Amino acid sequence: MNIVIKPEAINQLRGREFQENEGIRIEATFVGSCTIYAEHSLLVDIKQDDDDIFMVEDIPVVISKKSQKYLDENIFLDYSPQLGYKISSDQETYKYNLQLKENK
């Protein structure tokens, strides 16, 4: 999996301090319907056993193997003050207007 964090998102995330095995989780959860549909979220979370952790621009990104099934090979994380964070691929925008949440 290739993850690109765009400059605006890097600026938002760069000052954040991460604990050991902690990172920005990109989550794609299957919500089921007659078509394949996944709900996407973005949160600070601890790496679990079924997760892969990717270092992108010195920012740890955590994605579960299950979530990776619902994401394309190339993933982009961007930020806009008007639209919040956006997760996209070469083919589609998964979700925008995301806020980075803390998993507590």
Side-chain angles (χ1 to χ4, degrees), residues 45-90:
D45 198 11
I46 301 292
K47 180 187 178 299
Q48 304 298 315
D49 291 340
D50 190 41
D51 295 335
D52 289 323
I53 193 160
F54 305 87
M55 289 303 291
V56 184
E57 303 287 337
D58 293 326
I59 298 168
V61 178
V62 177
I63 305 177
S64 70
K65 290 181 182 10
K66 190 172 186 178
S67 289
Q68 290 177 45
K69 294 177 186 178
Y70 302 110
L71 299 167
D72 288 325
E73 181 62 27
N74 294 313
I75 299 299
F76 302 95
L77 178 61
D78 203 355
Y79 179 82
S80 161
Q82 297 80 18
L83 297 176
Y85 289 96
K86 176 176 82 170
I87 302 170
S88 62
S89 71
D90 292 325

Side-chain angles (χ1 to χ4, degrees), residues 10-23:
I10 290 172
N11 289 340
Q12 291 295 310
L13 299 171
R14 187 104 340 136
R16 179 176 268 288
E17 300 225 359
F18 295 97
Q19 304 300 316
E20 185 175 345
N21 288 323
E22 184 180 61

